[in-house]
Amino acid sequence: MKHFMKGALVAGALAVSAPALAADIIVVSHGQANDPFWSVVKNGVDKAAKDTGANVSYRAPETFDMVAMSQLIDAAVNQEPDGLVVSIPDADALGPSIERAVAAGIPVISMNSGSDVAGKLGAELHVGQDEFTAGKAAGAKLAEMGGKTGICVNQEVGNVALDLRCAGFAEGFGGKVDVLPTSNDPAEVEAKVRAALESNPDIDTIMGLGASTVGEPAVAAVEATGRSGEVNVATFDLSANFLQAVVDGKAAFAIDQQQFLQGYLPVAFLALNAEYGLIPGGDVPSGPNLITKDKAGQVIDLSAQGIR
Protein backbone atom coordinates (compact mmCIF):
# COMPACT_ATOMS: atom_id res chain seq x y z
CA MET A 1 0.00 0.00 0.00
CA LYS A 2 2.84 2.36 0.87
CA HIS A 3 4.49 1.66 -2.49
CA PHE A 4 1.25 2.36 -4.30
CA MET A 5 0.71 5.63 -2.45
CA LYS A 6 4.31 6.70 -3.12
CA GLY A 7 3.92 5.92 -6.84
CA ALA A 8 0.61 7.78 -6.96
CA LEU A 9 2.14 10.82 -5.28
CA VAL A 10 5.06 10.90 -7.73
CA ALA A 11 2.74 10.52 -10.71
CA GLY A 12 0.47 13.20 -9.28
CA ALA A 13 3.35 15.59 -8.76
CA LEU A 14 4.50 15.10 -12.34
CA ALA A 15 0.99 15.59 -13.64
CA VAL A 16 0.56 18.80 -11.66
CA SER A 17 3.90 20.03 -13.00
CA ALA A 18 2.98 19.21 -16.60
CA PRO A 19 1.98 22.71 -17.74
CA ALA A 20 5.27 24.20 -16.48
CA LEU A 21 7.62 21.58 -17.96
CA ALA A 22 7.05 22.45 -21.61
CA ALA A 23 10.59 21.65 -22.72
CA ASP A 24 11.35 20.73 -26.33
CA ILE A 25 13.23 17.42 -26.38
CA ILE A 26 14.34 15.36 -29.38
CA VAL A 27 15.16 11.65 -29.17
CA VAL A 28 17.32 10.17 -31.94
CA SER A 29 17.90 6.42 -31.77
CA HIS A 30 19.26 3.79 -34.13
CA GLY A 31 16.16 1.64 -33.56
CA GLN A 32 12.84 2.06 -35.30
CA ALA A 33 9.72 2.50 -33.17
CA ASN A 34 8.04 -0.48 -34.93
CA ASP A 35 10.84 -2.82 -33.76
CA PRO A 36 9.54 -4.88 -30.79
CA PHE A 37 12.44 -3.79 -28.58
CA TRP A 38 12.40 -0.14 -29.58
CA SER A 39 8.64 0.10 -29.34
CA VAL A 40 9.09 -0.36 -25.58
CA VAL A 41 11.70 2.42 -25.53
CA LYS A 42 9.25 4.61 -27.46
CA ASN A 43 6.51 3.77 -24.94
CA GLY A 44 8.84 5.02 -22.20
CA VAL A 45 9.51 8.21 -24.16
CA ASP A 46 5.78 8.79 -24.66
CA LYS A 47 4.99 8.19 -20.98
CA ALA A 48 7.68 10.66 -19.89
CA ALA A 49 6.34 13.24 -22.35
CA LYS A 50 2.86 12.79 -20.92
CA ASP A 51 4.03 12.93 -17.30
CA THR A 52 6.21 16.02 -17.73
CA GLY A 53 4.29 17.89 -20.42
CA ALA A 54 7.44 18.11 -22.57
CA ASN A 55 7.18 18.35 -26.35
CA VAL A 56 9.06 15.25 -27.46
CA SER A 57 9.92 14.02 -30.96
CA TYR A 58 11.22 10.47 -31.56
CA ARG A 59 13.32 9.95 -34.69
CA ALA A 60 15.25 7.03 -36.17
CA PRO A 61 16.65 6.04 -39.57
CA GLU A 62 14.58 3.58 -41.59
CA THR A 63 17.33 0.95 -41.24
CA PHE A 64 20.52 0.62 -39.19
CA ASP A 65 22.26 3.49 -41.00
CA MET A 66 24.85 5.58 -39.18
CA VAL A 67 25.11 8.22 -41.91
CA ALA A 68 21.35 8.77 -41.80
CA MET A 69 21.40 8.81 -38.00
CA SER A 70 24.16 11.43 -37.87
CA GLN A 71 22.10 13.55 -40.24
CA LEU A 72 19.10 13.22 -37.92
CA ILE A 73 21.23 14.39 -34.99
CA ASP A 74 22.53 17.35 -37.03
CA ALA A 75 18.96 18.29 -37.95
CA ALA A 76 17.95 18.08 -34.28
CA VAL A 77 20.83 20.38 -33.29
CA ASN A 78 19.66 22.94 -35.85
CA GLN A 79 16.28 23.04 -34.08
CA GLU A 80 17.98 24.10 -30.83
CA PRO A 81 15.94 21.89 -28.47
CA ASP A 82 16.13 22.08 -24.68
CA GLY A 83 17.57 18.58 -24.62
CA LEU A 84 18.72 15.77 -26.88
CA VAL A 85 18.60 12.03 -26.22
CA VAL A 86 20.77 9.77 -28.40
CA SER A 87 21.81 6.15 -28.61
CA ILE A 88 25.45 5.68 -29.64
CA PRO A 89 25.99 2.35 -31.44
CA ASP A 90 28.98 3.77 -33.36
CA ALA A 91 30.94 6.57 -31.69
CA ASP A 92 33.22 7.12 -34.69
CA ALA A 93 30.26 7.77 -36.97
CA LEU A 94 28.07 9.72 -34.53
CA GLY A 95 30.65 11.42 -32.33
CA PRO A 96 31.09 14.60 -34.41
CA SER A 97 27.33 15.23 -34.51
CA ILE A 98 26.97 14.65 -30.76
CA GLU A 99 29.92 16.94 -30.03
CA ARG A 100 28.29 19.59 -32.23
CA ALA A 101 25.19 19.41 -30.04
CA VAL A 102 27.27 19.78 -26.87
CA ALA A 103 29.19 22.72 -28.37
CA ALA A 104 25.85 24.39 -29.15
CA GLY A 105 24.96 24.22 -25.46
CA ILE A 106 22.33 21.51 -25.83
CA PRO A 107 22.26 19.06 -22.88
CA VAL A 108 22.72 15.52 -24.21
CA ILE A 109 21.86 12.25 -22.49
CA SER A 110 22.77 8.95 -24.12
CA MET A 111 20.70 5.82 -23.70
CA ASN A 112 20.86 2.13 -24.56
CA SER A 113 24.27 2.03 -26.27
CA GLY A 114 27.33 4.17 -25.75
CA SER A 115 28.03 3.80 -22.04
CA ASP A 116 31.77 3.55 -22.75
CA VAL A 117 31.99 6.74 -24.83
CA ALA A 118 29.15 9.02 -23.68
CA GLY A 119 31.23 10.97 -21.19
CA LYS A 120 34.07 11.51 -23.64
CA LEU A 121 31.63 12.99 -26.15
CA GLY A 122 30.23 15.43 -23.60
CA ALA A 123 26.97 13.71 -22.66
CA GLU A 124 25.59 14.58 -19.22
CA LEU A 125 25.07 10.91 -18.37
CA HIS A 126 24.09 7.52 -19.80
CA VAL A 127 20.99 5.45 -19.07
CA GLY A 128 21.45 1.77 -19.92
CA GLN A 129 23.43 -1.30 -19.03
CA ASP A 130 27.10 -2.10 -19.44
CA GLU A 131 26.87 -4.50 -22.37
CA PHE A 132 30.15 -6.37 -21.84
CA THR A 133 29.40 -6.94 -18.15
CA ALA A 134 25.88 -8.15 -18.97
CA GLY A 135 27.21 -10.54 -21.60
CA LYS A 136 29.83 -11.85 -19.19
CA ALA A 137 27.20 -12.54 -16.52
CA ALA A 138 25.06 -14.40 -19.06
CA GLY A 139 28.03 -16.44 -20.27
CA ALA A 140 29.01 -17.43 -16.74
CA LYS A 141 25.42 -18.51 -16.00
CA LEU A 142 25.25 -20.63 -19.16
CA ALA A 143 28.62 -22.22 -18.37
CA GLU A 144 27.28 -23.01 -14.90
CA MET A 145 24.38 -24.76 -16.63
CA GLY A 146 26.87 -27.06 -18.37
CA GLY A 147 27.56 -25.24 -21.61
CA LYS A 148 30.79 -26.05 -23.45
CA THR A 149 30.22 -24.98 -27.07
CA GLY A 150 28.19 -21.91 -27.94
CA ILE A 151 27.17 -19.51 -30.66
CA CYS A 152 26.39 -15.82 -30.23
CA VAL A 153 23.79 -14.78 -32.81
CA ASN A 154 24.40 -11.15 -33.78
CA GLN A 155 21.71 -9.50 -35.90
CA GLU A 156 23.59 -6.18 -36.23
CA VAL A 157 27.30 -6.86 -36.59
CA GLY A 158 29.03 -3.48 -36.36
CA ASN A 159 26.69 -2.24 -33.63
CA VAL A 160 29.29 -1.80 -30.89
CA ALA A 161 26.80 -2.57 -28.12
CA LEU A 162 25.92 -5.94 -29.66
CA ASP A 163 29.56 -6.76 -30.40
CA LEU A 164 30.34 -6.08 -26.72
CA ARG A 165 27.56 -8.44 -25.66
CA CYS A 166 29.10 -11.26 -27.69
CA ALA A 167 32.59 -10.47 -26.39
CA GLY A 168 31.36 -10.46 -22.80
CA PHE A 169 29.47 -13.71 -23.36
CA ALA A 170 32.58 -15.39 -24.76
CA GLU A 171 34.67 -14.32 -21.76
CA GLY A 172 32.10 -15.37 -19.18
CA PHE A 173 31.30 -18.64 -20.96
CA GLY A 174 34.91 -19.75 -21.18
CA GLY A 175 34.23 -22.49 -23.72
CA LYS A 176 34.30 -22.43 -27.52
CA VAL A 177 32.21 -19.57 -28.94
CA ASP A 178 31.54 -18.59 -32.55
CA VAL A 179 29.67 -15.46 -33.62
CA LEU A 180 26.87 -16.18 -36.09
CA PRO A 181 26.06 -13.02 -38.08
CA THR A 182 22.50 -12.59 -39.36
CA SER A 183 20.05 -9.87 -40.35
CA ASN A 184 17.16 -8.96 -38.04
CA ASP A 185 14.76 -11.08 -40.11
CA PRO A 186 13.48 -13.84 -37.78
CA ALA A 187 13.05 -16.27 -40.69
CA GLU A 188 16.70 -15.85 -41.67
CA VAL A 189 17.79 -16.20 -38.05
CA GLU A 190 15.88 -19.45 -37.63
CA ALA A 191 17.33 -20.85 -40.85
CA LYS A 192 20.91 -19.92 -39.96
CA VAL A 193 20.67 -21.21 -36.39
CA ARG A 194 19.15 -24.45 -37.61
CA ALA A 195 21.95 -24.85 -40.17
CA ALA A 196 24.56 -24.22 -37.45
CA LEU A 197 22.98 -26.83 -35.17
CA GLU A 198 22.82 -29.40 -37.97
CA SER A 199 26.42 -28.80 -39.04
CA ASN A 200 27.85 -28.89 -35.51
CA PRO A 201 26.19 -31.29 -33.04
CA ASP A 202 28.54 -30.07 -30.29
CA ILE A 203 26.67 -26.75 -29.98
CA ASP A 204 24.90 -26.84 -26.65
CA THR A 205 24.38 -23.11 -26.02
CA ILE A 206 22.81 -20.27 -28.01
CA MET A 207 23.17 -16.64 -26.93
CA GLY A 208 20.75 -14.30 -28.68
CA LEU A 209 20.99 -10.53 -28.66
CA GLY A 210 17.28 -9.76 -29.10
CA ALA A 211 14.23 -11.69 -27.87
CA SER A 212 11.85 -11.34 -30.83
CA THR A 213 14.45 -11.17 -33.59
CA VAL A 214 16.79 -13.91 -32.32
CA GLY A 215 15.55 -15.60 -29.14
CA GLU A 216 12.20 -16.79 -30.47
CA PRO A 217 13.52 -18.08 -33.82
CA ALA A 218 16.45 -19.76 -32.01
CA VAL A 219 13.99 -21.68 -29.83
CA ALA A 220 12.09 -22.68 -32.98
CA ALA A 221 15.33 -23.85 -34.64
CA VAL A 222 16.24 -26.00 -31.63
CA GLU A 223 12.78 -27.58 -31.69
CA ALA A 224 12.99 -28.16 -35.46
CA THR A 225 16.24 -30.09 -35.06
CA GLY A 226 14.78 -32.21 -32.28
CA ARG A 227 17.29 -30.96 -29.72
CA SER A 228 14.97 -29.44 -27.13
CA GLY A 229 16.37 -30.12 -23.70
CA GLU A 230 19.90 -30.51 -25.09
CA VAL A 231 20.58 -26.89 -26.11
CA ASN A 232 20.24 -23.96 -23.73
CA VAL A 233 18.87 -20.81 -25.37
CA ALA A 234 19.21 -17.43 -23.68
CA THR A 235 18.69 -13.94 -25.03
CA PHE A 236 19.10 -10.30 -24.24
CA ASP A 237 15.83 -8.42 -23.83
CA LEU A 238 12.27 -9.66 -23.48
CA SER A 239 9.22 -10.69 -25.44
CA ALA A 240 6.07 -12.34 -24.18
CA ASN A 241 6.66 -15.40 -26.39
CA PHE A 242 10.26 -15.88 -25.30
CA LEU A 243 9.30 -15.50 -21.65
CA GLN A 244 6.66 -18.18 -22.18
CA ALA A 245 9.40 -20.41 -23.61
CA VAL A 246 11.36 -19.85 -20.39
CA VAL A 247 8.29 -20.78 -18.32
CA ASP A 248 7.80 -23.89 -20.47
CA GLY A 249 11.42 -24.97 -20.05
CA LYS A 250 12.26 -24.43 -23.73
CA ALA A 251 14.66 -21.56 -22.98
CA ALA A 252 17.05 -20.81 -20.13
CA PHE A 253 16.60 -17.13 -19.34
CA ALA A 254 16.29 -13.61 -20.73
CA ILE A 255 18.35 -10.57 -19.81
CA ASP A 256 16.17 -7.59 -19.02
CA GLN A 257 17.84 -4.20 -19.51
CA GLN A 258 14.51 -2.48 -18.75
CA GLN A 259 14.49 -0.43 -21.93
CA PHE A 260 11.27 1.32 -20.90
CA LEU A 261 13.46 3.20 -18.41
CA GLN A 262 15.94 4.00 -21.18
CA GLY A 263 13.20 5.90 -22.97
CA TYR A 264 11.51 7.36 -19.90
CA LEU A 265 14.34 8.57 -17.69
CA PRO A 266 16.38 10.68 -20.16
CA VAL A 267 13.26 12.60 -21.20
CA ALA A 268 12.22 13.13 -17.58
CA PHE A 269 15.74 14.20 -16.61
CA LEU A 270 16.03 16.68 -19.48
CA ALA A 271 12.59 18.14 -18.76
CA LEU A 272 13.52 18.66 -15.11
CA ASN A 273 16.86 20.11 -16.18
CA ALA A 274 15.18 22.60 -18.51
CA GLU A 275 12.77 23.76 -15.81
CA TYR A 276 14.80 23.54 -12.61
CA GLY A 277 18.42 22.85 -13.58
CA LEU A 278 18.20 19.42 -11.91
CA ILE A 279 20.06 16.43 -13.36
CA PRO A 280 21.61 13.26 -11.85
CA GLY A 281 25.32 13.39 -11.13
CA GLY A 282 26.19 10.11 -12.84
CA ASP A 283 25.12 7.28 -15.12
CA VAL A 284 21.96 5.31 -14.34
CA PRO A 285 22.23 1.50 -14.84
CA SER A 286 18.93 0.12 -16.13
CA GLY A 287 20.14 -3.50 -16.12
CA PRO A 288 21.04 -6.32 -16.36
CA ASN A 289 18.42 -8.44 -14.65
CA LEU A 290 18.35 -12.18 -15.48
CA ILE A 291 14.76 -13.39 -15.90
CA THR A 292 14.76 -17.10 -15.16
CA LYS A 293 11.87 -19.56 -14.96
CA ASP A 294 10.89 -18.50 -11.45
CA LYS A 295 10.53 -14.85 -12.52
CA ALA A 296 9.32 -15.12 -16.12
CA GLY A 297 5.64 -15.56 -15.41
CA GLN A 298 5.53 -12.30 -13.48
CA VAL A 299 6.60 -10.16 -16.43
CA ILE A 300 4.83 -11.84 -19.37
CA ASP A 301 1.79 -9.57 -19.15
CA LEU A 302 3.93 -6.44 -18.83
CA SER A 303 6.00 -7.52 -21.82
CA ALA A 304 2.83 -7.99 -23.87
CA GLN A 305 1.80 -4.47 -22.83
CA GLY A 306 5.06 -3.01 -24.10
CA ILE A 307 6.45 -2.09 -20.69
CA ARG A 308 8.95 -4.91 -20.01
Side-chain angles (χ1 to χ4, degrees), residues 58-76:
Y58 183 98
R59 305 170 185 178
E62 294 183 4
T63 60
F64 184 74
D65 184 336
M66 292 300 94
V67 173
M69 186 175 174
S70 66
Q71 292 171 345
L72 288 174
I73 295 173
D74 289 337

Side-chain angles (χ1 to χ4, degrees), residues 8-290:
L9 288 171
V10 171
L14 286 169
V16 170
S17 301
L21 298 178
D24 292 316
I25 298 168
I26 299 175
V27 180
V28 181
S29 87
H30 65 275
Q32 298 72 45
N34 61 354
D35 178 287
F37 174 88
W38 287 98
S39 67
V40 177
V41 177
K42 175 65 162 50
N43 288 343
V45 168
D46 291 345
K47 184 67 165 64
K50 180 180 179 181
D51 286 348
T52 65
N55 302 311
V56 184
S57 172
Y58 183 98
R59 305 170 185 178
E62 294 183 4
T63 60
F64 184 74
D65 184 336
M66 292 300 94
V67 173
M69 186 175 174
S70 66
Q71 292 171 345
L72 288 174
I73 295 173
D74 289 337
V77 172
N78 291 338
Q79 290 184 240
E80 301 180 350
D82 296 303
L84 176 64
V85 183
V86 295
S87 60
I88 316 175
D90 187 334
D92 291 337
L94 303 177
S97 296
I98 294 168
E99 290 174 331
R100 193 172 298 119
V102 173
I106 300 169
V108 177
I109 293 179
S110 63
M111 57 94 171
N112 181 258
S113 55
S115 61
D116 55 330
V117 296
K120 299 174 186 176
L121 296 176
E124 301 285 339
L125 64 126
H126 179 81
V127 179
Q129 70 181 1
D130 184 280
E131 304 292 7
F132 183 88
T133 301
K136 187 175 179 179
K141 180 66 175 178
L142 288 164
E144 182 184 311
M145 296 173 71
K148 303 293 184 185
T149 303
I151 56 174
C152 186
V153 186
N154 190 338
Q155 76 274 17
E156 281 182 3
V157 172
N159 179 335
V160 176
L162 300 194
D163 294 341
L164 284 171
R165 290 178 178 181
C166 279
F169 163 67
E171 181 168 315
F173 189 64
K176 177 177 172 52
V177 173
D178 290 320
V179 176
L180 180 65
T182 70
S183 71
N184 61 2
D185 177 4
E188 178 186 325
V189 172
E190 181 177 346
K192 285 194 171 183
V193 171
R194 181 172 180 173
L197 290 170
E198 291 174 342
S199 65
N200 185 359
D202 290 335
I203 294 173
D204 54 28
T205 303
I206 300 172
M207 183 77 252
L209 305 185
S212 299
T213 53
V214 177
E216 291 178 28
V219 169
V222 170
E223 289 186 310
T225 56
R227 297 190 61 192
S228 292
E230 300 175 16
V231 179
N232 280 321
V233 181
T235 188
F236 278 77
D237 308 322
L238 309 180
S239 72
N241 288 336
F242 189 84
L243 289 170
Q244 189 61 53
V246 174
V247 170
D248 295 339
K250 297 177 180 178
F253 59 83
I255 303 168
D256 184 12
Q257 64 175 295
Q258 301 182 111
Q259 70 267 33
F260 185 91
L261 291 178
Q262 295 174 10
Y264 186 96
L265 292 178
V267 170
F269 291 158
L270 288 171
L272 288 167
N273 181 63
E275 184 67 16
Y276 305 119
L278 296 171
I279 200 160
D283 293 349
V284 179
S286 65
N289 181 17
L290 267 59

